[in-house]
Structures are given as C-alpha cells and as structure tokens.
Amino acid sequence: MRVVVVPCFSDNYSYLIHQEGRREAVVVDPAEAGPVLAALAEHGLELTAVLDTHHHWDHVGGNEELCDRFGHLPVYGHASDAGRIPRLSEQLSHDDTFQVAGLSFRALHVPGHTSGALAYVTGDAVFSGDTLFVAGCGRLFEGTPAQMYESLNGRLGALPEATRVFCGHEYTENNLRFALSVEPDNQDVRAMAARVAALRARGEPSVPSLIGDEKRINPFLRCESAVIRHRFADAPSPVEVLARLRALKDDFQ
Ligand code: ZN
Ligand code: FE
C-alpha cells in the first residue's frame, strides 16, 4: 500500500491511497478537487472512491467536482453525516469494514471534533482527520471531552504502536510548542520538534507519525502522565485533564 500526501489550501492534507502496482486509488478528505486531480495525473492513478473523515468544508470541498468528473464514485462517511457530507452514498457505523481499490478498510467512530467523525484504518495506517493530529487533537466543536478522551485514548490509542498516523492538517509545529509548554522536560517532544523542524524547513510534511510516538509526545494521549496530572492536580479525572488541556490549547498561539 502506498500513500500520496496531497497538500490542499494552506494547511490541509488530502491523501491518495493505492495498492502498489494498481491504478485504482481512493482519496481521503478531498479538501479541493484541483490538487487531487493533479496528484492522480502525476501518479497515473484512477479515482475509485472518496472517504470523508467528517463533514467540515475543508475536508469535503472536492466531493462534488470529483463525483461529477468520475461519474459513479462511492462516497464514504458516518451515517449521521447524511445531509452534511455532499454526495454521501456509503453510510458507515463504528467498526464497519469495506473493500475498495483492492484495499480493506475499517472505520472507527471517533466523535469529539464532530459528532460523526470517523478514522479509517487500512494496513499499517490510520487516517485520523481532525480527531488526532500529530502531537495534538481537534477542537471540540460537537463533542464532549469524554467523547474525545475515548476516541483518542480508547479507539485510536488501541491501534498497534507501529500504526502510521496521517492526519487532516499540518499543525504539528504549533502542537509541539504547546506540548512543550505542558511538559517542558519531555525529551521525546524535543526530539520530535527537531525532526519536524528539519522536515518543514525542506517543505516536507510532518506526517506520518506513529501511534507509539503519539503516546510519548501528544499531551491529549498523556492525560495520565505524572507531569500532566500534577499540573492539573485539582482535576478530578483524566477526562477533566483533557478538557483543561483543550481549553488551554484553544487560546495557545
Ligand atoms: Zn474539521
Ligand atoms: Fe479541518
């Protein structure tokens, strides 16, 4: 399986996924059609399905143009996003599996950023949308801290440590600065910051990270670490720690 990172707008990532040696490809979160079409042409790929992680415009903005251009494209998303994801045709629930372009996918329902947020798992990769970012998580627009906690630590955190994480935005440098502000002595965060600074200086994306990396650097997966618990000593639970972290991050520049 090969993943082509397709930068869209200022900091969105769409992804083309295809089986090595096959022309059929799926796109995850076509933010806009133009860059997706250009990447398909560049790599000699044929689009066979659209996978949407959630209904926000900067993840589904290319759906209609791609569907019009390719005719009958199945569009996957969470069932509760019917009416919010343009051209949604395949309505998914938690743990549903499906096959497309010779690839097997499993959908994880990961509410928090939105109520219908999905992550897609295939092979050793997860496409996490705006739920899990490298070193961060999405804002709580439609979900509760408890939902986001379970989505990050339960569902995504249960994936094998070697799972590659492909997320919806290039927010990593800011996320790492925030992570250092809450855990200044976390050497894994420092090492990742150096690695990402080098990548970004070359204009390369910071994705993918690994689930195992995230458990060591991402404060939203570290609500039970000693340093973070101590920092929010009056928080009665790990969920409340996540709520406090998210509120701090909302105002972090
Ligand atoms: Zn979003
Ligand atoms: Fe987004």
Side-chain angles (χ1 to χ4, degrees):
M1 177 195 58
R2 179 151 159 269
V3 178
V4 177
V5 181
V6 184
C8 292
F9 301 126
S10 59
D11 55 34
N12 276 85
Y13 287 132
S14 301
Y15 298 101
L16 298 177
I17 316 169
H18 71 105
Q19 202 65 277
E20 216 75 57
R22 286 178 75 141
R23 283 173 54 84
E24 306 105 295
V26 310
V27 63
V28 177
D29 283 355
E32 47 180 343
V36 172
L37 291 168
L40 287 165
E42 184 190 338
H43 295 275
L45 298 171
E46 226 169 80
L47 192 61
T48 56
V50 174
L51 276 52
D52 288 315
T53 61
H54 64 295
H55 70 91
H56 284 159
W57 68 274
D58 62 319
H59 299 259
V60 304
N63 280 22
E64 301 209 319
E65 190 177 337
L66 292 172
C67 285
D68 287 342
R69 190 172 290 243
F70 291 93
H72 194 71
L73 273 186
V75 176
Y76 292 81
H78 192 261
S80 69
D81 274 337
R84 302 206 292 183
I85 292 178
R87 310 285 178 96
L88 179 69
S89 62
E90 316 298 319
Q91 300 189 11
L92 298 170
S93 304
H94 178 61
D95 235 6
D96 278 354
T97 57
F98 57 96
Q99 302 232 344
V100 65
L103 298 159
S104 300
F105 288 89
R106 184 161 67 101
L108 302 180
H109 185 211
V110 286
H113 178 63
T114 66
S115 53
L118 287 180
Y120 295 95
V121 180
T122 184
D124 71 340
V126 62
F127 297 84
S128 58
D130 289 1
T131 302
L132 172 62
F133 292 127
V134 179
C137 75
R139 285 176 188 256
L140 299 177
F141 286 124
E142 298 173 3
T144 63
Q147 285 178 317
M148 184 58 103
Y149 186 90
E150 172 60 18
S151 294
L152 293 174
N153 295 277
R155 293 186 169 173
L156 292 164
L159 294 170
E161 297 232 326
T163 306
R164 294 182 293 161
V165 178
F166 294 92
C167 60
H169 289 270
E170 181 59 65
Y171 291 161
T172 306
E173 287 185 297
N174 179 269
N175 287 344
L176 287 166
R177 278 197 296 280
F178 178 73
L180 268 184
S181 78
V182 295
E183 282 190 297
D185 297 324
N186 184 326
Q187 295 308 315
D188 294 309
V189 176
R190 289 188 183 279
M192 178 69 99
R195 192 171 77 81
V196 167
L199 285 169
R200 299 300 297 147
R202 296 199 296 271
E204 291 174 30
S206 65
V207 288
S209 67
L210 303 175
I211 288 289
D213 293 333
E214 296 303 326
K215 289 182 176 177
R216 287 183 284 276
I217 65 168
N218 190 323
F220 298 93
L221 275 72
R222 297 176 56 74
C223 296
E224 296 184 69
S225 80
V227 171
I228 293 180
R229 290 249 36 175
H230 182 253
R231 191 181 178 98
F232 302 99
D234 57 332
S237 66
V239 168
E240 183 59 25
V241 170
L242 183 139
R244 304 274 189 93
L245 282 169
R246 190 55 259 180
L248 273 181
K249 181 66 169 70
D250 286 350
D251 295 324
F252 185 82
Q253 291 309 315

